[in-house]
């Protein structure tokens, strides 16, 4: 009996101590981030690169309260190897302590970004004792013209060992100092990995690997048809060799070089991530500089965790849970579509800070069940109280538990509209919801100027019992039966606010002008709102 009691006390203590540990949890309709078993959706923002190097600077600017008041629940902040390990083997975690303390005081979660071997391809954040040993103990990558960019080679054992050691010390520090509280909910490993100048490293070490047999796991993936369209095509075009070195299997050229490099970048990243997870097993991800604007590998950071190389990264870096796009280019909907794959839940750790983000967040959460959304340089967000992202986050924040519950059930959807693509039909339960940019109505003066349309968006939550909750901005929706039989009418629309406990409260009955005398449900252009629609069929 006594033994049983002791065991139970130990189990209870273990659970209590680990209650706040973040994890990724498969729901059957995707994957959710959970903290202490409870789903958590990230309304985030990433600090500008140098802000977190100085607590004084951030405090002077009032950054933490500003972000909390703006509706964020999570801040993405870099952790710099050069500051953590200024002298070899001597660690200084004061910058991490500052982040933990400030986030907790302001009731915010943290995602820490390990600026280790690579930051936007380059190795500028490595400590000086590493930099001063470039070309000696630590190897740089080499371009085909013999030049050595300040990019550490993915093929050097000393490089990966030094990084993995520092990263594991950092993760251990987090376990000891945050394991019970769970302030840090995810960690990004490196930042925008990828080779510049050439599609692959041409150093001696790299050339040796290039002339060695393609590893078994990669060959096995190819033969099982799981390498993805792009990689498979390069392999097929090169003659589908069943074994051989990288040239024999993939041929020559930029695409082949990128495939080789992706495998080894992923292997390096895996070594670092696995060393960290051994100390503290919380979700980890990598972020991606996109291959946009018609550039070739090497012009864009070659071999990073890009959509066309995702199977390689998933294979060679299994400790990385998510592959995430950094979106600085046009075409937001198509980019996020590429990174929302069956085995990759969408999370957007960076997106250029523009007013449209206020609308974009609804598409990510609604259509893709995203884990979260996070514009870059958030500490420099415009101060206006009614800045779109602030309106969106403030609307969403109290609704997050409900959204998470519906995401898990697969009962959310969403759309984004702009001047070029003003409408989308979403079908739910045999009803076509025709969602259009509000300016298609032509009622607002802005409607006649395409330059003023901007992006608008809505997410729809299926609440059951003929009820649908609309959250978003600037979208007007009409309903009809998908099978064309009969009609769908509006029984009622209520404007919704959420109380502090996330409970829906009906604020106003919307009818008359607000629903165009029963013709549509509309969140007007420029406004952010939640409306509960109940329909009937006749
Ligand atoms: C993407 C990087 O990941 C960020 O750290 C930052 O450099 C932005 N680009 C651009 O400012």
């Amino acid at each position: 009996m006594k033994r049983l009691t002791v065991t139970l006390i130990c189990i209870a203590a273990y659970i209590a101590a680990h209650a706040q540990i973040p994890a990724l949890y498969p729901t059957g309709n995707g994957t959710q981030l959970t903290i202490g078993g409870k789903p958590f959706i990230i309304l985030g923002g990433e600090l500008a690169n140098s802000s977190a190097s100085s607590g004084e600077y951030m405090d002077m600017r009032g950054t933490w309260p500003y972000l909390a008041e703006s509706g964020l629940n999570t801040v993405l902040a870099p952790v710099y190897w050069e500051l953590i390990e200024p002298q070899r083997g001597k660690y200084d975690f004061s910058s991490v302590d500052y982040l933990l303390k400030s986030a907790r005081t302001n009731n915010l979660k943290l995602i820490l970004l390990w600026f280790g071997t690579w930051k936007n391809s380059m190795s500028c954040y490595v400590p000086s004792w590493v930099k001063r040993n470039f070309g000696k103990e630590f190897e740089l990558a080499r371009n085909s013209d013999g030049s050595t960019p300040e990019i550490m080679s993915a093929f050097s054992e000393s490089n990966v060992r030094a990084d993995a050691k520092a990263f594991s010390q950092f993760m251990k520090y987090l376990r000891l100092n945050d394991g019970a509280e769970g302030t840090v909910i995810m960690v990004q490993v490196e930042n925008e990995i990828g080779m510049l100048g050439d599609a692959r490293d041409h150093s001696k070490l790299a050339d040796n690997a290039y002339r060695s047999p393609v590893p078994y796991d990669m060959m096995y993936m190819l033969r099982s048809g799981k390498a993805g369209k792009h990689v498979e095509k390069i392999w097929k075009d090169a003659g589908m060799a069943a074994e051989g070195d990288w040239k024999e299997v993939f041929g020559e050229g930029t695409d082949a070089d990128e495939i080789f490099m992706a495998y080894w970048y992923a292997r390096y990243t895996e070594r670092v991530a696995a060393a960290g997870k051994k100390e503290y097993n919380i979700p980890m991800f990598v972020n991606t500089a996109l291959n946009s604007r018609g550039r070739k590998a090497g012009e864009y950071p070659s071999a990073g965790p890009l959509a066309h190389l995702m199977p390689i990264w998933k294979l060679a870096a299994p400790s990385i849970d998510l592959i995430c796009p950094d979106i600085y280019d046009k075409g937001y909907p198509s980019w996020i579509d590429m990174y929302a794959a069956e085995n990759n839940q969408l999370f957007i750790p960076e997106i250029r800070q523009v007013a449209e983000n206020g609308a974009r967040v609804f598409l990510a959460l609604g259509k893709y069940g995203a884990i979260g959304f996070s514009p870059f340089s958030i500490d420099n967000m415009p101060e206006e109280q009614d800045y779109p992202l602030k309106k969106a986050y403030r609307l969403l924040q109290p609704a997050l538990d409900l959204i998470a519950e519906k995401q898990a059930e697969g009962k959310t959807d969403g759309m984004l509209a702009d001047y070029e693509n003003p409408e989308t039909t979403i079908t739910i339960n045999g009803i076509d919801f025709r969602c259009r940019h509000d300016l298609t109505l032509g009622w607002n003066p802005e409607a006649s100027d395409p330059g003023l349309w901007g992006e608008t968006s809505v997410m729809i939550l299926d609440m059951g019992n003929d009820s649908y909750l609309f959250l978003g901005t600037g979208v007007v929706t009409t309903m009809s039966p998908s099978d064309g039989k009969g009609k769908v009418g509006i029984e009622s629309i209520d404007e919704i606010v959420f109380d502090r406990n996330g409970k829906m409260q009906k604020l106003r009955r919307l009818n008359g002008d607000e629903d165009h005398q029963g013709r549509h449900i509309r969140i007007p252009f420029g406004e952010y709102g939640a409306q509960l629609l109940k329909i009937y069929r006749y």
Side-chain angles (χ1 to χ4, degrees):
M1 185 64 194
K2 200 173 161 204
R3 198 189 274 172
L4 180 67
T5 316
V6 172
T7 313
L8 288 176
I9 290 172
C10 288
I11 292 172
Y14 180 87
I15 291 172
H18 292 78
Q20 293 309 312
I21 289 191
L24 288 169
Y25 180 78
T27 62
N29 286 298
T31 300
Q32 288 188 319
L33 176 67
T34 58
I35 304 175
K38 189 171 176 276
F40 184 85
I41 296 175
I42 296 156
L43 300 180
E46 181 169 324
L47 298 177
N49 285 168
S50 304
S51 307
S53 72
S54 162
E56 212 180 337
Y57 170 83
M58 289 190 66
D59 289 345
M60 191 179 80
R61 301 180 79 209
T63 299
W64 296 98
Y66 176 61
L67 298 181
E69 282 156 22
S70 299
L72 277 83
N73 59 18
T74 306
V75 173
L76 281 72
V79 166
Y80 319 95
W81 186 6
E82 61 174 344
L83 297 189
I84 299 288
E85 196 182 2
Q87 285 176 290
R88 191 172 208 159
K90 300 231 157 62
Y91 300 95
D92 174 359
F93 290 107
S94 51
S95 54
V96 177
D97 285 337
Y98 167 76
L99 294 173
L100 291 175
K101 184 185 94 226
S102 310
R104 286 173 190 160
T105 309
N106 291 279
N107 201 19
L108 289 161
K109 296 288 182 191
L110 284 173
I111 292 178
L112 297 182
L113 321 172
W114 176 243
F115 282 13
T117 302
W118 297 297
K119 157 71 174 75
N120 298 25
S121 303
M122 308 303 287
S123 297
C124 53
Y125 277 100
V126 304
S128 60
W129 55 268
V130 176
K131 287 182 177 168
R132 288 174 181 277
N133 270 309
F134 282 162
K136 299 174 208 155
E137 183 181 352
F138 302 109
E139 299 294 338
L140 289 175
R142 193 172 284 272
N143 288 325
S144 49
D145 62 6
S147 61
T148 47
E150 206 182 322
I151 297 177
M152 285 169 73
S153 174
F155 299 89
S156 149
E157 187 59 25
S158 344
N159 291 5
V160 70
R161 278 199 187 174
D163 188 337
K165 190 167 169 213
F167 185 65
S168 66
Q169 290 295 318
F170 159 59
M171 291 305 294
K172 180 175 170 192
Y173 191 84
L174 286 187
R175 169 171 54 82
L176 296 176
N177 294 279
D178 192 48
E181 292 214 34
T183 314
V184 178
I185 54 175
M186 291 208 278
V187 168
Q188 177 188 293
V189 186
E190 314 295 343
N191 192 86
E192 291 197 347
I193 298 165
M195 182 72 192
L196 281 177
D198 255 307
R200 77 166 175 92
D201 181 353
H202 288 267
S203 64
K204 264 196 194 144
L205 292 169
D207 281 348
N208 281 344
Y210 186 69
R211 285 192 295 266
S212 304
V214 175
Y216 176 78
D217 55 351
M218 183 79 184
M219 286 312 314
Y220 184 76
M221 180 170 76
L222 278 172
R223 286 198 299 262
S224 342
K226 292 190 174 144
K229 268 195 209 146
H230 170 78
V231 177
E232 203 164 299
K233 180 177 183 305
I234 307 300
W235 179 51
K236 282 191 175 149
D237 289 352
M240 280 179 89
E243 57 183 9
D245 66 20
W246 289 84
K247 194 165 122 187
E248 285 160 347
V249 174
F250 292 104
E252 282 181 288
T254 308
D255 288 330
D257 283 355
E258 188 183 38
I259 289 171
F260 160 77
M261 200 61 214
Y263 181 84
W264 289 105
Y265 264 141
R267 283 275 288 254
Y268 187 106
T269 309
E270 172 62 18
R271 294 269 303 270
V272 176
K277 277 202 168 172
K278 210 165 151 201
E279 288 298 341
Y280 186 33
N281 189 358
I282 62 172
M284 292 189 186
F285 65 94
V286 285
N287 63 332
T288 313
L290 298 177
N291 48 341
S292 50
R293 288 168 270 141
R295 295 172 299 167
K296 292 206 174 73
E299 293 166 1
Y300 67 78
S302 170
L306 288 148
H308 65 283
L309 305 167
M310 206 186 272
I312 300 181
W313 274 84
K314 292 278 176 190
L315 172 81
S319 299
I320 295 297
D321 301 292
L322 307 168
I323 289 180
C324 311
D326 288 352
I327 304 170
Y328 289 85
D329 287 281
K330 285 191 183 143
Y332 166 73
S334 51
W335 285 119
I336 63 173
D337 197 63
M338 280 183 226
Y339 289 81
E342 204 186 316
N343 60 351
N344 195 61
Q345 192 68 42
L346 180 67
F347 171 54
I348 303 164
E350 285 184 51
I351 182 163
R352 187 188 298 283
Q353 207 200 106
V354 289
E356 282 81 0
N357 289 334
R360 290 174 180 175
V361 61
F362 295 97
L363 181 73
L365 301 187
K367 182 166 177 188
Y368 296 99
I371 284 175
F373 187 85
S374 161
F376 182 69
S377 198
I378 197 74
D379 41 337
N380 298 310
M381 173 169 52
E383 275 170 23
E384 302 102 72
Q385 273 305 314
D386 62 351
Y387 187 65
L389 188 79
K390 295 180 192 175
K391 290 208 262 182
Y393 276 10
R394 287 179 189 138
L395 170 70
L396 284 165
Q397 185 147 158
L400 289 181
D401 286 351
L402 173 67
I403 295 171
E405 184 189 318
K406 292 293 165 190
Q407 280 182 343
E409 293 170 4
K411 291 195 168 171
T412 68
D413 212 326
M415 59 79 73
L416 184 111
D418 59 17
Y419 186 76
E420 278 82 34
N421 297 295
E423 81 169 71
T424 302
T425 296
I426 295 173
T427 303
I428 312 172
N429 301 330
I431 311 287
D432 285 349
F433 293 83
R434 182 176 173 226
C435 306
R436 285 178 295 144
H437 197 296
D438 186 43
L439 295 185
T440 55
L441 290 174
W443 294 354
N444 294 37
E446 296 96 330
S448 55
D449 181 350
L452 296 179
W453 276 49
E455 292 170 22
T456 63
S457 181
V458 78
M459 64 189 289
I460 305 177
L461 275 51
D462 176 1
M463 305 296 289
N465 202 19
D466 291 333
S467 293
Y468 299 89
L469 182 67
F470 284 59
L471 291 138
T473 176
V475 173
V476 56
T477 306
T478 50
M479 285 72 61
S480 60
S482 315
D483 60 10
K485 290 185 187 143
K487 288 187 173 175
V488 174
I490 293 176
E491 184 177 305
S492 60
I493 301 175
D494 289 293
E495 183 177 13
I496 295 297
V497 288
F498 288 84
D499 69 15
R500 285 163 140 236
N501 303 318
K503 217 168 162 293
M504 287 204 306
Q505 308 283 353
K506 293 182 179 173
L507 181 66
R508 275 194 296 169
R509 172 58 54 96
L510 298 176
N511 204 341
D513 291 344
E514 277 61 58
D515 69 351
H516 200 17
Q517 341 314 315
R519 291 185 184 88
H520 63 213
I521 170 168
R522 172 180 185 230
I523 304 172
F525 184 64
E527 292 181 24
Y528 285 72
Q531 298 181 14
L532 185 65
L533 165 76
K534 188 154 177 134
I535 52 166
Y536 69 99
R537 293 183 72 154
Y538 64 101

